[in-house]
Amino acid sequence: AGGFTQKQTKDDVFYSLDQMYVHRLTRTACNMCWGAFGGQRAGGLSGPKGDSICVQSMDGQIYVLEQETFAFARYLNNFLLPGPLAYMKEIDSIVTVNSQMQVECYRYRTLGTTMAGREKSHAGEKDGETILEDGPGRIGGSRGNDGDKDRIGLKSSRSKIRTVWNYDLGEHSVGLGILRMSKIHKTTGASSSEGDESGREITVLGEHTIFSLSQQGKMRSQRRLGYVPACFTWFPAGGGKSLDGDGKERAQKEHLAVATASRTVMVYDEEKLLWAAQTPFVPVDIKVGTFGGIRGMMVMMSEEGQIAITYLGTEPISQIARVPETRELDYESMDQEHKALLKVIRDSANSQLSEPMDKLQIICQAPHTLTDKHDFRFDKEEAEDVATNEQGIPICVIVKLLLRYEGGGVVRNVTINLNTPNAIKLASKTIKVPQVEGDATIEIPFFVSRSVLPSSSKIEGVAAYTSPGGAPRTTWLSFSMPLCLICRVVAPVNVANHRITLESNIPSASLSVLFGEIFRSAAALQPELKDTGEKVLSLKFFAGPVVTIRLSKAKNKIRIQSVSFESLWLVTNQYVRRLHSFHQKDRKSAGGKDGSSGANDDSSGGAGPLILTFPDVLPLKQYFGLIDNHFSLRLQIMTVEHALDGAAHQFRSIQKRLLQRYRHKNPTALMDLDLLLHESFMRLNALSNRMLNCKKQLEVACSNLSCATHLILLLIRFKFGLDSKNAYLMEAFLSPIVADDTDAQGWEERTKAAMLHLLRSVLVKQSRGSKSTQFPQSQMTLMDDTSKLKSNIQQVCERLSKGYRLYRSTTNNKKKEFSTTPKASSPPSRPTERKA
């Protein structure tokens, strides 16, 4: 403790703090309160009146310090953890809240008289815990630096202290204060006391309620809170003092300010909410004071030690807005202004928005070779799923992203989010670039899974950034991963359980040319592949299966085969895409040699457009098998989740019963509850491991079903000759996007609803004179089995084979095969195959 002295120089006035006395505590302190305990005067009866200090330690002992003099120490009743502490001078008592959620009131006179006898009994001890000098109860009464040697170690009694009153709150307390919340009323009669006339009451901030108790420990009011309180404080309602009817000065009532865990301050007048304001952080303590002549400034401190001074509101407006003088309206100027505004609106509606010139451009460079120099940052579980070569080096391709800002200035905080298939892995899908000035290059290592087949090699992403002018911008990017990351060329394999055959109107190019970038690197290591690379090519996925492509002698038939049906998709898609790209380049070069532009596909090179067909029956049986596998795994996960919930509930119930046995004062037999707890824990772990395995199997099943759906859509397009519009709509209804669905509305339920919508709308069988097509709604609930889904998919394929189409053409010069609904008089015929 100390005081201050004012010093003044020629230019400044400042204050210096002076140390008056020091008390060293032997126990860890928690909180304290102060006041004129017992109504005594420090330094004797003739000295000035001063305040004493009561310090509460973490072990439940309170120290009473009368300025530089140590008075006594005492242990509180029923102590477990320290609670808030306050002094009420009207009844000369110390109020606290114990760990049993009770408000306790201790009379200071009772605490002092209880300790008087014990001080006398220990006054003559040497080298003990009590050292009395300079009078009874004094410990080293010297001031200044000599007080640093003082040690408070008074031996205190652990006998139970008699409380004046106590009150059960029913919840733990956050804070405690003595304030005037209610209106001040003078009581009449002999029973009225000074404490009642002062209007001060005990306010306790609980975890869910604000309690207001009288000085006698009776409930006055309580308010239920709808938030989690953090701390509270109080301040005068009028900011000062007022006079009563007798001309005596009397303090006004006070308002309560409660800070919440949601960064809000609530100001109450008794039980009425007056004001609510947002705070910059969650405060641990809050006070109200006057700074710079401004009353009502709130000082708050955060957990990190940050201090902020805030203000609830603003001063009222002193000037009153005057009503302007009325004048006549100028209708001609208003009409001209209206026409000018209409012209601006019309011009802005006709003008087309253009892309900003200062945009961020992203160029992707994906090499066609693997690398062994990379930053491999995966945890142990993910690292086990990364594919490796024969030497154990992870299969990796490093993609370079070139960021180029075409405007002036510096772009900061560029965030790139990438979306990859399940089989393609990278350490982090979010990449942050601090700044881009001119050009910047980022290297991203991509890896591949050894257990999941990739359903696509396409990577999509979006880059979000803020322009130097402060406008938020986004840039979209898309690129395909090289085939060397997904598979490698091996010797031809003839073993196959699943195969598809495509027919082409134009002879196919050799496989060594179509897959040149991956074939050349493999032929350099295996020269024997050069002899078979023209018509036979086998590609082995790093996830396991081998896919073989074979060309006929005339190269107009292509057979793709493998041991698994889902692995056919990616190789088939790569072959079709590369074949189309090869023929487009060939036709452009042929058109340039003939002197034509090559824009007409039917006249360049004399070959015509490339047409691929699928003459065989659609492999729906193999496709339906993958659907059944995916659906059974979903049901299995739901079953394991239900069992896991039951096991967790059983484990918690056993824990509660076992804790109740341990908490009994008189221990009883456990009745093998510990063994039951161990068995429940082991069952819980087993179900958790089973859930993890099912999740991994479902991830593989989702990828397989996605690959098979892509393949079926491609074969439907080739089988029934769908144009790009109908193929796009068919992919929208039979979606190849299969997520890890474990709820009641999974991929099967959504696909069934989509197929029913097609069969009941654009693919419905209409008779002559029927009314317009209706679109009935179907509810998506968990299916018992997939029989109806498979039947609906098969019916859609049958309707497509009969000439029905999803897209209705509005022009008359379209071919009949693109019509949506056939005529009722004659059955629809199968679309004729286009000839070159």
Side-chain angles (χ1 to χ4, degrees):
F4 66 90
T5 57
Q6 179 179 351
K7 298 182 181 180
Q8 184 174 1
T9 61
K10 181 178 180 182
D11 299 327
D12 299 325
V13 177
F14 61 92
Y15 297 89
S16 62
L17 298 179
D18 301 326
Q19 178 177 305
M20 305 297 294
Y21 53 88
V22 175
H23 291 285
R24 291 197 172 272
L25 306 177
T26 58
R27 288 177 169 84
T28 303
C30 177
N31 52 18
M32 70 174 183
C33 65
W34 60 90
F37 300 160
Q40 298 179 357
R41 297 178 180 269
L45 295 177
S46 60
K49 187 175 182 180
D51 290 337
S52 301
I53 301 175
C54 178
V55 181
Q56 181 179 203
S57 64
M58 294 296 294
D59 59 352
Q61 192 176 35
I62 59 173
Y63 304 93
V64 177
L65 310 172
E66 296 179 355
Q67 297 189 5
E68 72 273 14
T69 305
F70 174 76
F72 57 86
R74 195 74 167 93
Y75 280 99
L76 298 178
N77 300 334
N78 303 323
F79 182 84
L80 181 61
L81 293 174
L85 199 67
Y87 172 71
M88 197 165 193
K89 66 178 181 179
E90 287 80 6
I91 57 176
D92 192 24
S93 300
I94 295 177
V95 184
T96 184
V97 182
N98 59 19
S99 301
Q100 296 181 353
M101 309 179 191
Q102 293 179 345
V103 183
E104 293 182 335
C105 179
Y106 298 96
R107 190 82 68 181
Y108 177 77
R109 184 178 304 174
T110 304
L111 297 174
T113 54
T114 305
M115 292 306 304
R118 301 199 58 83
E119 290 176 1
K120 295 179 180 180
S121 61
H122 295 280
E125 296 182 8
K126 293 182 180 180
D127 299 331
E129 293 186 15
T130 303
I131 304 175
L132 302 179
E133 298 178 3
D134 299 335
R138 299 286 297 274
I139 299 183
S142 59
R143 298 173 179 260
N145 297 330
D146 295 336
D148 294 345
K149 302 178 182 180
D150 297 345
R151 295 287 179 176
I152 297 177
L154 184 63
K155 192 171 183 179
S156 59
S157 173
R158 289 186 178 269
S159 60
K160 191 172 183 179
I161 310 174
R162 184 171 60 87
T163 60
V164 181
W165 53 262
N166 55 7
Y167 183 85
D168 270 327
L169 294 177
E171 58 185 70
H172 292 286
S173 64
V174 178
L176 174 67
I178 311 298
L179 62 148
R180 301 174 181 86
M181 281 191 64
S182 304
K183 295 181 179 179
I184 303 173
H185 299 285
K186 283 193 174 183
T187 59
T188 58
S191 61
S192 63
S193 63
E194 183 183 353
D196 293 329
E197 294 178 1
S198 66
R200 288 162 57 90
E201 53 195 42
I202 303 168
T203 301
V204 183
L205 177 63
E207 294 177 325
H208 308 285
T209 314
I210 298 178
F211 300 94
S212 179
L213 305 178
S214 66
Q215 300 173 6
Q216 290 76 26
K218 297 180 180 180
M219 175 62 66
R220 283 191 173 181
S221 63
Q222 61 180 2
R223 178 187 175 88
R224 191 71 175 174
L225 303 178
Y227 49 83
V228 179
C231 58
F232 82 123
T233 187
W234 54 93
F235 57 93
K241 304 220 176 207
S242 62
L243 300 178
D244 56 11
D246 301 334
K248 297 180 180 180
E249 189 179 83
R250 184 176 59 187
Q252 297 181 356
K253 73 171 185 177
E254 295 167 310
H255 290 164
L256 188 67
V258 182
T260 69
S262 56
R263 300 193 304 177
T264 309
V265 173
M266 306 288 186
V267 180
Y268 294 96
D269 179 9
E270 297 186 21
E271 298 181 4
K272 180 181 178 181
L273 179 63
L274 296 180
W275 195 270
Q278 198 75 18
T279 60
F281 45 76
V282 179
V284 296
D285 197 8
I286 182 172
K287 297 296 180 184
V288 178
T290 302
F291 296 90
I294 302 177
R295 296 183 289 105
M297 302 293 287
M298 283 194 173
V299 184
M300 54 188 68
M301 184 175 65
S302 66
E303 294 181 352
E304 294 79 11
Q306 181 182 2
I307 297 178
I309 300 179
T310 59
Y311 189 44
L312 287 179
T314 58
E315 294 291 340
I317 300 176
S318 57
Q319 297 180 356
I320 302 175
R322 297 180 180 179
V323 180
E325 298 179 359
T326 59
R327 60 181 179 178
E328 296 182 0
L329 299 177
D330 189 358
Y331 293 100
E332 293 182 0
S333 61
M334 292 173 60
D335 188 40
Q336 293 178 1
E337 183 181 2
H338 178 65
K339 290 180 179 179
L341 292 175
L342 286 179
K343 186 178 181 302
V344 172
I345 295 173
R346 195 179 301 109
D347 294 341
S348 62
N350 295 333
S351 62
Q352 296 181 357
L353 296 177
S354 59
E355 289 291 332
M357 300 302 296
D358 53 340
K359 62 181 180 180
L360 181 67
Q361 186 180 4
I362 301 179
I363 302 174
C364 305
Q365 299 176 355
H368 296 284
T369 56
L370 300 176
T371 180
D372 55 354
K373 297 179 181 180
H374 50 77
D375 188 8
F376 189 76
R377 293 178 299 172
F378 289 99
D379 54 16
K380 183 178 180 181
E381 184 177 356
E382 292 183 352
E384 294 176 355
D385 191 46
V386 175
T388 57
N389 55 13
E390 291 80 0
Q391 291 79 21
I393 301 176
I395 305 298
C396 177
V397 168
I398 295 181
V399 177
K400 294 183 179 180
L401 297 182
L402 177 61
L403 281 68
R404 178 178 300 165
Y405 183 63
E406 299 179 351
V410 180
V411 177
R412 302 183 185 275
N413 299 327
V414 180
T415 303
I416 304 175
N417 295 315
L418 298 177
N419 183 21
T420 62
N422 292 336
I424 298 178
K425 298 180 176 294
L426 67 163
S428 176
K429 293 187 178 182
T430 301
I431 303 167
K432 295 185 177 181
V433 183
Q435 65 178 17
V436 176
E437 184 177 3
D439 295 345
T441 304
I442 305 173
E443 294 185 352
I444 306 175
F446 287 86
F447 304 87
V448 66
S449 173
R450 66 171 61 191
S451 60
V452 181
L453 281 174
S455 59
S456 175
S457 61
K458 190 175 183 180
I459 308 296
E460 295 180 345
V462 62
Y465 63 98
T466 303
S467 65
R473 301 279 180 82
T474 57
T475 299
W476 179 79
L477 67 149
S478 176
F479 59 94
S480 296
M481 298 304 300
L483 197 59
C484 62
L485 181 66
I486 301 172
C487 57
R488 59 187 177 91
V489 179
V490 295
V493 177
N494 296 324
V495 178
N497 298 331
H498 305 275
R499 57 182 58 88
I500 58 175
T501 303
L502 302 179
E503 294 182 358
S504 174
N505 63 329
I506 300 176
S508 173
S510 62
L511 299 178
S512 59
V513 175
L514 294 179
F515 296 88
E517 80 282 354
I518 191 174
F519 181 80
R520 285 190 294 269
S521 59
L525 300 176
Q526 302 177 8
E528 64 273 8
L529 296 177
K530 297 180 180 180
D531 301 334
T532 61
E534 184 176 357
K535 293 186 178 180
V536 181
L537 182 66
S538 293
L539 299 174
K540 178 177 175 57
F541 285 94
F542 291 110
V546 179
V547 181
T548 303
I549 308 175
R550 290 183 178 273
L551 301 180
S552 62
K553 292 183 179 182
K555 295 185 178 181
N556 59 348
K557 290 186 177 181
I558 307 98
R559 174 173 292 179
I560 306 174
Q561 58 187 18
S562 176
V563 294
S564 61
F565 178 73
E566 60 275 5
S567 62
L568 299 175
W569 151 245
L570 193 61
V571 176
T572 304
N573 181 50
Q574 287 285 333
Y575 172 78
V576 171
R577 186 174 58 83
R578 291 167 185 255
L579 184 61
H580 273 283
S581 177
F582 176 81
H583 279 284
Q584 286 179 1
K585 293 180 181 178
D586 191 18
R587 292 173 63 195
K588 287 182 180 180
S589 61
K593 292 179 182 179
D594 296 340
S596 61
S597 61
N600 188 2
D601 292 341
D602 295 335
S603 62
S604 51
L610 175 66
I611 298 176
L612 295 174
T613 58
F614 179 67
D616 299 335
V617 181
L618 289 174
L620 294 178
K621 182 179 179 181
Q622 295 86 340
Y623 180 56
F624 291 159
L626 294 174
I627 293 177
D628 292 336
N629 183 33
H630 179 263
F631 185 70
S632 63
L633 284 173
R634 285 182 55 205
L635 295 180
Q636 186 176 355
I637 288 179
M638 292 181 184
T639 304
V640 176
E641 282 182 350
H642 182 71
L644 194 60
D645 291 340
H649 179 71
Q650 180 183 7
F651 182 74
R652 289 192 298 268
S653 300
I654 298 174
Q655 271 187 327
K656 290 179 181 178
R657 293 192 178 185
L658 198 58
L659 288 174
Q660 289 177 357
R661 295 291 179 92
Y662 285 140
R663 290 175 60 183
H664 283 171
K665 295 182 178 179
N666 299 322
T668 58
L670 296 180
M671 303 296 292
D672 295 333
L673 282 177
D674 52 346
L675 299 178
L676 189 58
L677 182 68
H678 177 73
E679 293 296 330
S680 300
F681 180 73
M682 297 302 294
R683 181 169 177 264
L684 198 62
N685 283 341
L687 289 174
S688 301
N689 295 332
R690 185 181 174 187
M691 175 63 73
L692 292 177
N693 294 332
C694 291
K695 289 283 188 180
K696 293 180 181 179
Q697 295 177 10
L698 182 63
E699 182 182 0
V700 176
C702 289
S703 180
N704 294 342
L705 183 56
S706 178
C707 294
T709 305
H710 276 294
L711 182 60
I712 287 294
L713 289 171
L714 185 66
L715 296 181
I716 287 176
R717 181 174 185 178
F718 293 159
K719 176 76 175 176
F720 307 127
L722 302 182
D723 61 346
S724 58
K725 183 68 175 181
N726 283 276
Y728 174 77
L729 292 176
M730 189 64 194
E731 184 177 350
F733 282 93
L734 187 59
S735 176
I737 302 175
V738 184
D740 299 340
D741 299 318
T742 57
D743 53 357
Q745 295 184 359
W747 181 87
E748 286 80 6
E749 288 77 17
R750 295 193 298 268
T751 306
K752 178 185 175 183
M755 295 296 104
L756 283 175
H757 181 78
L758 284 179
L759 294 173
R760 295 174 181 177
S761 56
V762 294
L763 299 183
V764 66
K765 292 183 179 180
Q766 290 183 348
S767 60
R768 181 176 298 178
S770 61
K771 299 181 180 180
S772 60
T773 304
Q774 297 180 355
F775 299 92
Q777 297 180 355
S778 57
Q779 296 182 354
M780 287 190 294
T781 57
L782 182 63
M783 301 186 302
D784 297 332
D785 53 25
T786 59
S787 58
K788 292 184 179 180
L789 170 63
K790 294 184 287 187
S791 176
N792 293 335
I793 295 176
Q794 195 166 4
Q795 289 177 11
V796 170
C797 295
E798 290 177 359
R799 301 282 174 87
L800 293 175
S801 66
K802 294 179 181 180
Y804 290 85
R805 292 296 179 263
L806 308 182
Y807 173 65
R808 187 186 300 274
S809 176
T810 57
T811 58
N812 297 326
N813 58 353
K814 293 291 182 180
K815 295 183 181 181
K816 185 179 178 180
E817 65 181 26
F818 298 137
S819 62
T820 304
T821 306
K823 295 181 180 180
S825 59
S826 61
S829 59
R830 182 174 179 176
T832 58
E833 184 175 311
R834 290 176 291 178
K835 296 183 179 180

